[in-house]
Amino acid sequence: MTSAESSLAELPPRGLWVQGAQTARLPWRFDTPAALAEVNALPASLWRTHFNEGRHDGGWQALALRAAPEAPIDVVPVDVAASRYADTPALDQCPTLRAMLDTMALPWKSVRLMQLLPGCEIKEHTDADLCVGRGEARLHVPLQTGERVFFHVDGERIPLRAGECWYVDVSRPHRVRNRGTLSRVHLVADTSVDMRLVDALRASDCGDPLPDADDPWRQFIQFRDLVGTNADYAERLSTITNLADFVRESVHMGQAAGFQFDASDVESAMKAGRRAWTEQWVL
């Protein structure tokens, strides 16, 4: 066990636990209007479409505030020591963002602004080994968000609000949908785990719940429960052998029954089922 894992093993069971890992609202709070004004003043040419093109539908963008010279492009995090990372010229134009980072005083590695345009989606994926148990953490500070932004980790909605600071275990399956009318803008900062972060995790909580009514994943769960009790629905789906047809018919049946969810909800549920089946054989 590493020293980071040993320290974290002593943490009390606070925050939102997801499959044994903690996703937690940390005690830092920030005023965001000045920071957002700085972000909006940055040249549009600095934003890059996220490099993992297979993980989104085109509306996910990133802008580097700290980067490593070893990286192929500035928005790509690489596995080097925090000392190898350096501030970019964009951070010099954002004194409020710099003050946020200085307040937390952590050993920062990659620091980026991440933007998800209205109506767009980050598909379910994992960032391998990027979690506190492995000695590295990814923190999110929402600068602009809303109740119709849906961030899910392992099927649990994370209630991120503007100005809060969250540790998110991105080594677990996660995805984001922006169903609002404004871009979702986050400060996303990677840090090595040190005792200051451990203390912040000890002081963490699970945040304040967001309304569930419009959550598409919640709508899908309700539809899935309906299928489990409705023989006609179950029979219609059981006869479909093509995956794409199954997903399409599930969404169509759900809409006809008054549920508003997406194809990605069906796909995520199927992936979760496959993971559960596989993990039962792992001792």
Side-chain angles (χ1 to χ4, degrees):
M1 179 179 290
T2 67
S3 60
E5 290 172 320
S6 177
S7 297
L8 290 168
E10 301 171 1
L11 290 175
R14 303 179 67 184
L16 177 62
W17 285 84
V18 182
Q19 295 288 337
Q22 190 183 46
T23 296
R25 184 174 67 171
L26 303 178
W28 295 296
R29 301 289 185 274
F30 301 102
D31 290 330
T32 58
L36 189 60
E38 293 172 357
V39 172
N40 291 335
L42 292 171
S45 60
L46 295 181
W47 288 97
R48 302 178 182 272
T49 299
H50 197 281
F51 54 90
N52 284 321
E53 295 182 0
R55 295 180 177 177
H56 62 94
D57 55 7
W60 191 18
Q61 301 174 346
L63 189 157
L65 299 178
R66 280 180 60 81
E70 292 87 349
I73 56 175
D74 58 3
V75 294
V76 176
V78 291
D79 188 17
V80 298
S83 60
R84 293 293 300 155
Y85 280 84
D87 298 346
T88 68
L91 186 57
D92 293 334
Q93 301 176 54
C94 301
T96 305
L97 292 177
R98 184 186 295 279
M100 289 181 181
L101 297 172
D102 290 345
T103 295
M104 291 182 278
L106 296 169
W108 299 117
K109 301 180 79 173
S110 171
V111 179
R112 297 168 292 175
L113 294 167
M114 306 290 278
Q115 177 172 242
L116 184 62
L117 301 180
C120 293
E121 178 173 1
I122 301 170
K123 299 177 182 179
E124 185 173 272
H125 66 283
T126 61
D127 297 277
D129 296 332
L130 186 44
C131 60
V132 290
R134 296 289 185 176
E136 188 166 334
R138 177 161 293 168
L139 307 187
H140 281 250
V141 179
L143 304 178
Q144 180 169 274
T145 188
E147 291 186 354
R148 291 190 56 76
V149 173
F150 302 97
F151 193 130
H152 288 90
V153 179
D154 265 340
E156 294 288 341
R157 188 180 183 187
I158 312 303
L160 300 95
R161 287 179 167 82
E164 298 177 344
C165 180
W166 282 78
Y167 161 65
V168 179
D169 181 4
V170 293
S171 72
R172 301 303 307 168
H174 60 283
R175 58 198 179 107
V176 188
R177 279 170 285 188
N178 184 359
R179 296 294 180 256
T181 58
L182 299 174
S183 293
R184 186 209 76 156
V185 182
H186 281 199
L187 175 66
V188 179
D190 295 350
T191 177
S192 302
V193 175
D194 65 2
M195 286 309 301
R196 184 171 173 82
L197 180 59
V198 170
D199 288 341
L201 285 164
R202 284 197 176 103
S204 70
D205 62 31
C206 60
D208 302 312
L210 288 165
D212 277 341
D214 294 331
D215 183 349
W217 177 251
R218 186 65 54 190
Q219 296 256 321
F220 169 74
I221 294 299
Q222 292 172 354
F223 170 71
R224 187 179 64 181
D225 291 344
L226 175 63
V227 171
T229 60
N230 187 303
D232 290 338
Y233 279 26
E235 183 176 358
R236 284 171 61 184
L237 290 174
S238 67
T239 61
I240 302 173
T241 57
N242 179 273
L243 176 60
D245 290 343
F246 181 90
V247 172
R248 190 162 40 247
E249 181 62 15
S250 295
V251 173
H252 174 73
M253 289 171 59
Q255 290 176 343
F259 299 105
Q260 299 299 317
F261 56 86
D262 302 317
S264 60
D265 293 300
V266 185
E267 293 164 355
S268 291
M270 297 175 75
K271 289 178 183 177
R274 287 195 293 271
R275 283 194 301 272
W277 188 90
T278 300
E279 289 170 0
Q280 70 179 317
W281 305 105
V282 179
L283 302 179

